[in-house]
Amino acid sequence: MFDLQWLLIAIPLASGALLLTWGKEADRFGHLIGTLASAASFVLGVALFINLLGRDEGDRSHTATLFTWIQAGSFHVDMSFTYDQLSGLFVLLITGVGTLIHIYSIGYMEHDERRRRFFAFLNIFIAAMLTLALPPDYLVLFLGWEGVGLASYLLIGFWQHKPSAAAAAKKAFVVNRVGDIGMALAIMLMFTQFGTSSISVVNASIPSASASVATALGLLLLLGACGKSAQVPLQSWLLDAMEGPTPVSALIHAATMVTAGVYLVVRSHGVFDASETARTAVIVVGLVTLLVGAWIGCAKDDIKKALAGSTMSQIGYMMLAAGLGPAGYAFAIFHLITHGFFKANMFLGAGSVMHGMEDDVNMRHYGALRKMMPFTFATFALGYLAIIGIPPFAGFFSKDKIIEAAFGHNVFVGLGALLGAGVTAFYMTRLMMMTFFGDQRWNEEIHPHESPKVMTVPLMALGALSLFGGALAIGGFIETWLAPVVGEAPHEDLPLPALVISLLVLVVVLIGIGASYVLYTREPIAGETPADGSVSFFSRAGRHELYGNELNDAVAVRPTRHLTRFLVWLDGKGIDGFVTGLADRLGDTSQFLRKPQTGYVRSYALTMFGGAAVLLLVLLAVTLA
């Protein structure tokens, strides 16, 4: 049965190609074809996972080879796919949450005249992400890596009639290319050092390489991961990506693109285990990003951008866990899965709010929407309780495990992760209070209403997963399941008992909730965003995303623009000037030289006579001398 795993990719890819090439008559049912294709991959993924569960622990990895892709001397790459404990979980997340997003999109994109094309792009996105998750070779993985980049460009800029959407798509594409340079260089380094790009061979061979090679390889892979997972310093594209339709935001932030970097680090565990420096870099990047993302989430009034800051922060938790090595790999994947549930739930919930508010994204124009949108409110609340880590919701089990592992590694790292939990509770409570509670602040011309069932049913499913997704922690299932792939988690000496750490996290979360509740109920919420000059530096910096865009503009954009202008000047005035100037001088010389060429015989005879006379005079002078 595992020989059929290539169909996981082929079905949505074929559907995407069909929807793009079919005529307008497919507009009536194209969205159904796209949704069924994603659902078919999900059903096949479930069947494969059940089959995997029934096998012995040592027989839970199966590779299916389709054909030889590259054969050049000793370098050999097969087009093959491996279904194991790690890729099996990813397949279920990608296709399961992806299918719910497809169903939701049927209602959300109902009146878009290009809906068929939108579903084609969704299918391509699913196929590209599966191509990234299944291969046993970095070079084949890189195909999916670039495919995800292309699909994100197409979906973020889907409404390209909006200049902001077109600019956001280009920004995401360019920033990700920076990270992709790291990924490409890493694959080249693997080839030069080991003669292969096989993931298992590289993981097994890296201990025999020098420390500098292991560190360089780890840092290059981390650069690639930062681009895809929007980690500092390559995070600037993520909030702009909210310009795409809301289902795109849910797909990118929950089940696909931003999880790719975490997957890459965990799948490359051998590389990071061999380099303490590379692992420390991953920890620093994750810790900084989780705090930066939380800070941004506290200041944004755009509901989607507030959730985007939250995604940065939660992916930071995953990256932090991955940097902890064997003690954190399983928990990074665990939180990735639970985050896929509750973040897709909340992004689609935000889309439902926008649907009822005529696409207004400003939370200062909301208030008291729980009465107008009861299903959206109830499901969104489940996601809210999950992300802040209230037991027994999914986030409590996955995020608390990361904080516990962080304390086991270093007290200061643990305190940073603990602070992030408190800030998460603060900004998510702020979002809830501004959107669903308080007084109504919307214009009287707007009539908020609940979304249709095709949109609320996926919300209910994701809400249930937000509640019960933590079941993967029962009996240590997630650690045991992933141990054959990422190694056994060692016992860590904790500064405090695990139960005390969990209680401490819960207390910090409750403090964050209380502080936000008091701040946003003490006075009526302003209906418009206050000017920068009237708010604190904390809020102002958060609104400007800690001035990341300004920094990029100063460090990269403006210098590049000036360099480009200089090169254009150099090309026009220097290189072209030299070539055209030389041609002009040769032309002037030829014009001067052609003047004596009159064509008259008498002129030529006179010239010859004059020349002969001069010659005779020279000879005479020489003879007399």
Side-chain angles (χ1 to χ4, degrees):
M1 183 176 186
F2 289 101
D3 289 334
L4 299 177
Q5 60 182 285
W6 62 275
L7 288 173
L8 290 167
I9 301 168
I11 293 172
L13 186 61
S15 173
L18 181 66
L19 293 177
L20 287 175
T21 55
W22 207 332
K24 289 186 177 181
E25 62 272 11
D27 289 347
R28 294 179 290 105
F29 50 81
H31 54 286
L32 299 178
I33 294 176
T35 303
L36 288 173
S38 182
S41 287
F42 174 64
V43 171
L44 178 58
V46 170
L48 291 171
F49 193 80
I50 292 173
N51 198 322
L52 203 67
L53 283 171
R55 292 175 175 253
D56 295 332
E57 184 176 301
D59 189 31
R60 285 179 174 167
S61 177
H62 185 89
T63 299
T65 301
L66 300 183
F67 54 85
T68 296
W69 182 28
I70 298 174
Q71 181 66 62
S74 61
F75 185 63
H76 180 89
V77 178
D78 286 328
M79 183 59 67
S80 56
F81 305 101
T82 295
Y83 195 95
D84 62 9
Q85 293 92 326
L86 178 56
S87 58
L89 290 175
F90 262 76
V91 166
L92 292 181
L93 176 67
I94 294 164
T95 58
V97 175
T99 298
L100 291 174
I101 292 172
H102 275 71
I103 295 171
Y104 177 95
S105 299
I106 293 174
Y108 192 87
M109 301 295 289
E110 181 179 7
H111 302 295
D112 196 295
E113 60 182 15
R114 300 167 66 239
R115 182 167 64 165
R116 171 171 55 88
R117 183 183 294 266
F118 179 79
F119 275 83
F121 293 162
L122 287 183
N123 280 176
I124 293 171
F125 208 139
I126 295 292
M129 190 63 196
L130 290 170
T131 304
L132 188 157
L134 286 168
D137 193 285
Y138 283 105
L139 205 57
V140 183
L141 182 153
F142 195 58
L143 287 178
W145 193 267
E146 292 303 297
V148 168
L150 171 62
S152 66
Y153 171 78
L154 295 173
L155 285 168
I156 294 170
F158 183 74
W159 287 328
Q160 70 265 30
H161 60 275
K162 296 166 54 181
S164 56
K170 288 188 289 185
K171 185 176 183 179
F173 193 83
V174 170
V175 173
N176 271 272
R177 297 293 75 73
V178 176
D180 292 353
I181 291 173
M183 185 69 174
L185 291 175
I187 295 173
M188 295 177 193
L189 181 58
M190 294 170 194
F191 172 70
T192 59
Q193 291 294 316
F194 311 115
T196 182
S197 54
S198 167
I199 296 175
S200 60
V201 174
V202 170
N203 278 331
S205 302
I206 196 69
S208 63
S210 66
S212 59
V213 168
T215 298
L217 192 53
L219 293 178
L220 288 171
L221 290 172
L222 175 59
L223 178 60
C226 285
K228 279 291 182 287
S229 291
Q231 300 292 282
V232 173
L234 300 180
Q235 81 287 358
S236 62
W237 66 269
L238 191 66
L239 274 79
D240 288 3
M242 299 303 97
E243 291 292 339
T246 299
V248 174
S249 303
L251 192 62
I252 289 176
H253 286 246
T256 57
M257 188 165 174
V258 295
T259 64
V262 179
Y263 173 82
L264 178 68
V265 173
V266 173
R267 184 59 88 177
S268 307
H269 59 89
V271 175
F272 291 94
D273 289 344
S275 173
E276 187 67 29
T277 302
R279 278 174 51 191
T280 300
V282 176
I283 291 172
V284 171
V285 166
L287 185 59
V288 169
T289 305
L290 79 86
L291 294 174
V292 168
W295 187 343
I296 292 171
C298 291
K300 290 292 186 180
D301 290 335
D302 182 320
I303 188 171
K304 290 174 66 176
K305 289 190 175 183
L307 289 173
S310 168
T311 296
M312 274 181 60
S313 183
Q314 298 304 308
I315 299 294
Y317 270 110
M318 300 170 208
M319 199 66 76
L320 167 62
L324 298 176
Y329 290 137
F331 301 136
I333 299 302
F334 185 21
H335 194 54
L336 187 153
I337 293 170
T338 60
H339 176 264
F341 299 152
F342 58 70
K343 186 50 64 67
N345 175 21
M346 288 189 289
F347 261 113
L348 296 184
S352 181
V353 170
M354 292 165 57
H355 181 269
M357 294 293 293
E358 298 185 8
D359 291 329
D360 189 352
V361 296
N362 192 336
M363 293 186 291
R364 292 185 179 275
H365 300 164
Y366 296 166
L369 290 180
R370 70 187 187 281
K371 302 173 184 177
M372 308 295 178
M373 306 176 184
F375 288 107
T376 298
F377 165 67
T379 54
F380 198 102
L382 294 175
Y384 159 73
L385 294 171
I387 192 174
I388 65 175
I390 297 296
F393 293 86
F396 167 77
F397 296 97
S398 59
K399 190 162 62 176
D400 273 32
K401 284 293 186 181
I402 294 175
I403 297 174
E404 181 182 315
F407 271 111
H409 176 79
N410 182 284
V411 172
F412 294 104
V413 174
L415 289 173
L418 180 63
L419 174 62
V423 180
T424 298
F426 178 88
Y427 70 72
M428 285 306 307
T429 302
R430 171 183 182 268
L431 188 151
M432 289 292 290
M433 298 303 299
M434 293 181 71
T435 302
F436 296 106
F437 293 91
D439 299 325
Q440 69 177 56
R441 298 182 300 278
W442 61 81
N443 191 305
E444 293 298 332
E445 297 177 357
I446 295 177
H447 304 285
H449 56 277
E450 187 60 272
S451 299
K453 287 185 179 180
V454 73
M455 294 171 64
T456 56
V457 169
L459 290 177
M460 295 176 191
L462 290 167
L465 290 170
S466 300
L467 173 59
F468 298 113
L472 292 174
I474 296 176
F477 170 80
I478 191 71
E479 301 104 300
T480 304
W481 178 256
L482 290 175
V485 180
V486 301
E488 295 281 350
H491 175 74
E492 295 282 351
D493 292 327
L494 300 176
L496 296 170
L499 178 60
V500 174
I501 292 177
S502 291
L503 290 175
L504 179 61
V505 174
L506 186 57
V507 168
V508 170
V509 166
L510 292 175
I511 291 172
I513 294 172
S516 184
Y517 177 82
V518 170
L519 184 62
Y520 288 95
T521 57
R522 183 175 53 191
E523 296 179 359
I525 297 172
E528 297 297 334
T529 302
D532 281 352
S534 62
V535 297
S536 66
F537 168 78
F538 183 91
S539 296
R540 188 164 58 252
R543 288 181 187 179
H544 290 273
E545 300 163 29
L546 274 62
Y547 302 100
N549 289 320
E550 288 80 356
L551 178 63
N552 289 339
D553 188 62
V555 172
V557 177
R558 276 185 286 174
T560 303
R561 185 182 297 127
H562 292 320
L563 176 62
T564 302
R565 289 172 179 171
F566 170 73
L567 292 175
V568 169
W569 175 87
L570 181 64
D571 182 61
K573 301 296 184 180
I575 299 174
D576 285 353
F578 173 76
V579 173
T580 56
L582 180 62
D584 290 342
R585 299 294 77 76
L586 290 174
D588 293 342
T589 303
S590 66
Q591 290 294 329
F592 174 77
L593 293 176
R594 68 186 291 270
K595 290 181 179 179
Q597 310 298 322
T598 62
Y600 295 112
V601 174
R602 61 181 181 271
S603 298
Y604 298 152
L606 180 61
T607 303
M608 293 173 64
F609 177 76
V614 171
L615 182 61
L616 288 172
L617 290 173
V618 171
L619 291 174
L620 181 61
V622 171
T623 302
L624 293 175

